[in-house]
Amino acid sequence: MSKNVLVVVERRDGILRNVSFEVLTAAQQMTNGGEVIAVVFGQGNQDEAQQLAQHGADKVYIATNEELNAYSTDAFSQALTEVVQTVKPDVILVGHTAMGRDLAPRVAARLGLGLISDCTGVEVNGEEIVFIRPVYAGKLFQKKKVKEGIIFASIRPNNIVKGEPNAQRTANVIETQVTITDIRTIIKDVVKKTTGKLDLTEAKIIVSGGRGVKSAEGFNQLYELAEVLGAAVGASRAACDAGYCDYAMQVGQTGKVVTPDLYIACGISGAVQHLAGMSNSKIIVAINKDPEAPIFRVADYSIVGDLFEVVPLLIEEFKKVPV
Amino acid sequence: MKILVLLKQTFDTEEEIVLVNGQLNENGVKFVINPYDEYALEEAIAIKEKFGGEVTAVTVGPARAEAALRTALAVGVDKAIIVDDESLFGDEYTISKVLASVAKLDTYDLILGGHMAVDDGAAQVGPRLAEELAIPHISTITNLEIVDGKVKVEKDVEGDTEVIEVAMPVLVTAQQGLNEPRYPTLPGIMKAKKKTIERLTAADLNVNVGEILSKTEVLEQYLPPKKVAGKVLAGELNQQTSELVELLRNEAKVV
């Protein structure tokens, strides 16, 4: 049986997020002749619709209302509920981001649906859609399915490989005004700390520092390496607690869970809590003075040495043939 | 003010995961209060100390989860409820329905929970429960104040901060950074031992088990492939770094 898949699209700072394209790719695997319908909230534009079409959307549904220009739980859950009731999809997919985590369970409860969160993989076996998700901080994996009703899942960024855009593809664009009545929360202020920085959960490469970086100034070398690599910079809890950097950069069980292609751990000992946030990275490089540091047990490539010597050499080496 | 705290007992982070016939082994495992729920618990106690009121802690789980409630009582919770009824255990859909039926036994101004549990990591129950109770929720908060009867929070949005105001009743979920949870004191522990923990079942909650069955199903659980020992580079540091870059480019192909 064909399936219509509704993909909840997300923007960050006005730009479509990479995870939305990854989710579109996942959606395409599930349709079995049905349609992929992307839903965008707030003002839509032709350029966005085209990008979504090229990445797999057959229809682009733009739900407009002035309350949708910035995220609020109440506005977005009302809008998504209305869209689901209109589109009547068989599957709903959303990125497992701050927005997805806030919105999906609320809407699932409103519609009386099951929800499988934080999926890192999808298997389509005929009629059955099976989701793969890490639990116990990546120490165990589950295969899970929705037993009845609409299939609803959130997908962790950086795990499903986004398909190549197809310039030939186009989509029907449907713009519709949705009804939003009661917004109970008032946003008084937004303090942006991450503008212009690569999002850690979506970065392909992360350079990360721990207590061994010794100071906020010490992190400058890491920023320099990150710039050469086009990477984001992360940190261990110890480095954040010591005030070397903002908690927004923390990778770990508390903090962000990241799965980049390459994770370069500099001066990080590798406490269990840190490993929980990064051990599923595809390739891990560890640089540490202490040969006994637990981080070496999960590393694919290890350099036992002082990061203040190693990192400048690496910067030089990468600069020879730019990434 | 009446406050409800949602607690889940989870594996200690350091515990190794062992599967026996595809099932998670719990024998000999140390259990703790889910770290994010500890922030919720601390915040609830701090609010009570400042404004007065009553804090109730609730958990859904087997008898062993009582230990989490004893800890909660030891740090200052007034009432503790355990829903220890296997017919009510299920996925996030089921658990939030059960918690809603518990919450409806009283009238709470504020409900606090962790933003996710570190075992299952689903991050669903808070928002779901708020929806079941038709009250607003704010997730991943890092600060909470009560000003003129309104709740003012700072919400972490992937590193950015939103300052949000909302009227009570409201449900909030705790992110790391909200506070520094206290440890129970010896007198606290002694006093907690004497307190009663209320035990509820489907019959007490007037819940029709058949109507709240799980919507999802775990088909299989498996351990991730064991990480094979990586390469430890040798030689002068500059040789090691050039070898590393070569390996990242041509073997791992990640740059």
Side-chain angles (χ1 to χ4, degrees), chain A residues 98 102 136 188 191 301 321, chain B residues 119 139 158 161 163 219 249 251:
Chain A
D102 192 73
Y136 292 88
K188 293 287 202 185
V191 186
Y301 303 115
V321 187
Chain B
D119 51 6
S139 48
E158 295 175 4
T161 304
V163 181
L219 303 168
R249 287 212 160 106
E251 188 178 83

